Amino acid sequence: MRTDGTSASAEHCAGPTLTLGVEEEFVLLDRSDGRPVDRAPAILVLLGGEPRVKAEFLRYQLETVTGVCTDLGQVGEELARSRRLAACAATELDCHLVATGMAPQRGPGQCPVTADPRYLQVVARYGSLAAGPGTCGCHVHVGVPSRELGVRVLARLRPYLATLLALSVNSPVADGRDTGWASSRYLRWTRWPSAVPPRVWRSAAAYDATVRRLILRGDALDERGVYFHARLSPRYPTVEVRIMDVCLTVEDTTLVAGLARALVALAIDDERRGVPVRVISGRRIAAELRAAARHGLVAHAVDPYTGVLVPHHLLADAVLDRLPEPEPIAGLLRCLAFAVRVPTDSARCWPGPTRRSASPSSSPRRPSGESAPSTDRAWRLAPGAHRAGRDGACAAAHLRPPTDSTPRQCR
């Protein structure tokens, strides 16, 4: 993921000049009972070495990746193609590719770890922490001209990490029950000692020293095992934002990726104009992340420009006033702001994607005092009747009419 051709003037002005790439992680669920099934190795064989679909830590997980993209339309097309490929291969092996941050149920026996030397080393070092149920995230890489600038960007991203999490929350169900959290993945993932917000480092050297200390004291296996919520990628010249759940749909992922890139562009612009970094305490950042994981977009956070405490959907909306023009993400954010404020009978009937269930047998829980939507659609999935989206991947939380029991074929 490179930033070839990015000029100083381009860095200064518009987000669309920054390259980006996206990684998505999925679970494989059995068509009959919705439990995780370890068929990822067989799917990879079936795909014949397709470079955009890769193995993940557990054998019931798959990862898809985009190439280096320069606009959001390209991101959406590549995400949809990769989801479609993996979903169709999964269908041939009698399972579903499902976009959810946590598998809704546990599989039988031990979680099957992929036979990769590094993964096996992680299990040997961290035991039950590594061998527990897997999590599925969305990682957005945004190209930056230098690691020094990347470290300064990380400092400016800290106040917005909770907003990116709130926008993506997609794991309310785990262990066969509604957890009461919009992102149960966040709770599971942050058990890792290095899964913390980035600090405010003075230089890339200071960042590297922190990484080395984590590895030396055993909190991370290697550089790749340092799981900061946003970090300098150990493999690419990018800032890698890792806080998000895997999103339900390609449209959601495109929105999250676009917002992440826009925030990096704003950070670069503020840095070049000498706008002071508003330092928010690590305790405050952690509290905002936890609230976002619990409540999604209706949770609150401090606006780093005004110091005012506002809900995340308003914080995202306020980003519009600071984005360079023209900016493709602006229209998507306006749609989001409207959807949050004006409930409809669509999948966004409640604020953000906070209560969309990933379990075929459970229903979204409405906030206290909120009436049911005026629609004759069932707010659940019929058992065993996951529906494929336009991107081909079965989104286990898609709402569906109760009479339509036949999944659409992958196109």
Side-chain angles (χ1 to χ4, degrees), residues 153-211:
V153 166
L154 291 177
R156 295 179 184 274
L157 285 180
R158 293 172 78 248
Y160 289 104
L161 292 174
T163 302
L164 289 165
L165 175 60
L167 190 60
S168 69
V169 288
N170 183 32
S171 50
V173 175
D175 293 329
R177 63 183 180 86
D178 187 334
T179 64
W181 290 74
S183 175
S184 61
R185 166 189 168 268
Y186 176 79
L187 299 179
R188 173 73 195 176
W189 183 245
T190 51
R191 294 180 187 180
W192 290 92
S194 65
V196 296
R199 291 163 45 189
V200 179
W201 290 283
R202 292 176 177 268
S203 64
Y207 174 93
D208 292 339
T210 299
V211 169

Side-chain angles (χ1 to χ4, degrees), residues 274-303:
V275 176
V277 176
R278 181 179 178 86
V279 179
I280 300 176
S281 72
R283 180 175 296 181
R284 178 78 214 179
I285 296 289
E288 291 177 357
L289 285 165
R290 191 170 178 86
R294 184 67 184 260
H295 302 293
L297 285 169
V298 296
H300 288 63
V302 173
D303 186 321

Side-chain angles (χ1 to χ4, degrees), residues 56-411:
E56 248 302 322
F57 185 71
L58 297 176
R59 293 204 302 271
Y60 63 70
Q61 294 176 300
L62 281 176
E63 180 184 62
T64 65
V65 299
T66 70
V68 181
C69 300
T70 56
D71 65 74
L72 295 181
Q74 182 185 1
V75 170
E77 290 172 3
E78 294 203 17
L79 289 170
R81 176 183 176 275
S82 297
R83 284 191 178 204
R84 209 158 37 231
L85 282 172
C88 288
T91 299
E92 290 193 37
L93 294 175
D94 205 31
C95 60
H96 291 294
L97 181 82
V98 178
T100 179
M102 289 281 291
Q105 303 180 69
R106 287 183 183 252
Q110 292 286 332
C111 296
V113 178
T114 299
D116 175 271
R118 182 176 177 276
Y119 291 158
L120 297 176
Q121 191 176 358
V122 169
V123 172
R125 172 80 65 87
Y126 297 102
S128 60
L129 179 60
T135 62
C136 294
C138 171
H139 305 159
V140 177
H141 290 258
V142 183
V144 290
S146 70
R147 297 180 80 250
E148 291 295 337
L149 181 57
V151 165
R152 297 195 292 274
V153 166
L154 291 177
R156 295 179 184 274
L157 285 180
R158 293 172 78 248
Y160 289 104
L161 292 174
T163 302
L164 289 165
L165 175 60
L167 190 60
S168 69
V169 288
N170 183 32
S171 50
V173 175
D175 293 329
R177 63 183 180 86
D178 187 334
T179 64
W181 290 74
S183 175
S184 61
R185 166 189 168 268
Y186 176 79
L187 299 179
R188 173 73 195 176
W189 183 245
T190 51
R191 294 180 187 180
W192 290 92
S194 65
V196 296
R199 291 163 45 189
V200 179
W201 290 283
R202 292 176 177 268
S203 64
Y207 174 93
D208 292 339
T210 299
V211 169
R212 286 195 299 272
R213 281 196 296 272
L214 288 170
I215 296 170
L216 286 174
R217 71 187 187 203
D219 288 343
L221 181 67
D222 50 26
E223 284 187 64
R224 290 172 58 190
V226 175
Y227 300 136
F228 296 146
H229 299 330
R231 67 182 184 180
L232 299 183
S233 171
R235 295 183 287 177
Y236 309 113
T238 63
V239 165
E240 180 185 2
V241 187
R242 303 170 49 85
I243 187 61
M244 296 83 71
D245 280 9
V246 65
C247 295
L248 186 65
T249 66
V250 165
E251 290 81 4
D252 286 347
T253 304
T254 303
L255 172 60
V256 166
L259 180 57
R261 183 175 65 173
L263 291 170
V264 171
L266 283 176
I268 291 175
D269 189 59
D270 284 351
E271 185 65 29
R272 299 207 184 283
R273 292 188 296 110
V275 176
V277 176
R278 181 179 178 86
V279 179
I280 300 176
S281 72
R283 180 175 296 181
R284 178 78 214 179
I285 296 289
E288 291 177 357
L289 285 165
R290 191 170 178 86
R294 184 67 184 260
H295 302 293
L297 285 169
V298 296
H300 288 63
V302 173
D303 186 321
Y305 289 89
T306 65
V308 176
L309 192 67
V310 295
H312 285 291
H313 68 272
L314 294 183
L315 186 56
D317 194 24
V319 171
L320 290 174
D321 297 330
R322 305 180 182 110
L323 290 180
E325 293 291 346
E327 171 55 66
I329 195 65
L332 295 175
L333 283 174
R334 288 190 181 97
C335 290
L336 170 69
F338 177 80
V340 168
R341 291 166 182 158
V342 185
T344 69
D345 63 355
S346 70
R348 290 191 185 280
C349 191
W350 302 299
T354 58
R355 302 307 312 158
R356 293 183 289 187
S357 171
S359 170
S361 60
S362 63
S363 303
R365 187 174 61 200
R366 289 187 296 276
S368 176
E370 189 160 66
S371 60
S374 56
T375 174
D376 59 358
R377 287 179 175 269
W379 291 83
R380 60 177 175 80
L381 278 170
H386 302 275
R387 186 171 68 181
R390 284 188 302 146
D391 48 39
C394 290
H398 272 308
L399 303 178
R400 51 169 296 110
T403 56
D404 175 14
S405 61
T406 304
R408 283 185 282 173
Q409 296 300 312
C410 301
R411 298 193 290 270

Side-chain angles (χ1 to χ4, degrees), residues 2-67:
R2 303 193 175 278
T3 54
D4 300 30
T6 303
S7 66
S9 60
E11 293 161 16
H12 178 75
C13 53
T17 62
L18 299 176
T19 59
L20 76 164
V22 181
E23 302 165 357
E24 294 189 291
E25 299 162 348
F26 302 91
V27 294
L28 297 168
L29 302 184
D30 189 88
R31 291 173 65 91
S32 61
D33 61 10
R35 293 186 181 277
V37 286
D38 55 345
R39 294 176 192 157
I43 288 174
L44 294 173
V45 170
L46 190 62
L47 290 174
E50 163 59 46
R52 297 290 189 240
V53 183
K54 302 174 180 287
E56 248 302 322
F57 185 71
L58 297 176
R59 293 204 302 271
Y60 63 70
Q61 294 176 300
L62 281 176
E63 180 184 62
T64 65
V65 299
T66 70

